[in-house]
Amino acid sequence: MARSMVIKVTAGMDAPERCNQAFTVAAAAIASGVPVSLWLTGESAWYGLPGRAKEFTLPEATPLADLLDIVLTNGKVTVCTQCAARRGIGVDDVIDGVRIAGASTFVEEALGEGVQALVY
């Protein structure tokens, strides 16, 4: 069975380097042919909404919107259910291809055979 990655990002503009690292690792893994599931939790939940990733800036970093596009095209992107609810984000608000799911789904993915889970 091929290895895959589940990456949970807990930061947004409150910790931009950590946020960008998670998106960068997700995109790099996809570029290497690794299946990726990227989870947007905490402040990163906002990046599941149209246009929000374009607002993110970090010097010397690949634009977050570009990294998100790579993951959306070739992987899975999920916004945490509770994080979405706390921010008033509903299923009709998120980018096409982004799902909203909860902890049980995260645990199921993270404990899959051959999965490497990372949290940023």
Side-chain angles (χ1 to χ4, degrees):
M1 169 174 255
R3 293 207 43 153
S4 62
M5 295 184 83
V6 175
I7 300 171
K8 180 187 275 194
V9 54
T10 62
M13 280 309 297
D14 55 329
E17 288 183 307
R18 188 162 31 109
C19 178
N20 186 265
Q21 286 173 344
F23 279 81
T24 299
V25 168
I30 285 173
S32 298
V34 176
V36 171
S37 178
L38 179 65
W39 282 72
L40 307 178
T41 68
E43 285 301 299
S44 71
W46 293 115
Y47 302 125
L49 298 175
R52 288 293 184 100
K54 290 182 183 193
E55 297 171 7
F56 181 97
T57 59
L58 182 65
E60 306 300 323
T62 301
L64 201 69
D66 294 350
L67 298 170
L68 180 58
D69 285 346
I70 291 168
V71 180
L72 280 168
T73 300
N74 300 293
K76 288 193 289 190
V77 178
T78 306
V79 173
C80 160
T81 300
Q82 288 183 14
C83 302
R86 280 190 285 275
R87 289 160 179 80
I89 299 170
V91 294
D92 294 331
D93 299 320
V94 296
I95 298 166
D96 286 341
V98 171
R99 67 180 176 165
I100 296 177
S104 61
T105 303
F106 176 80
V107 170
E108 182 181 334
E109 286 187 9
L111 293 178
E113 186 176 337
V115 175
Q116 174 68 54
L118 302 173
V119 178
Y120 286 87

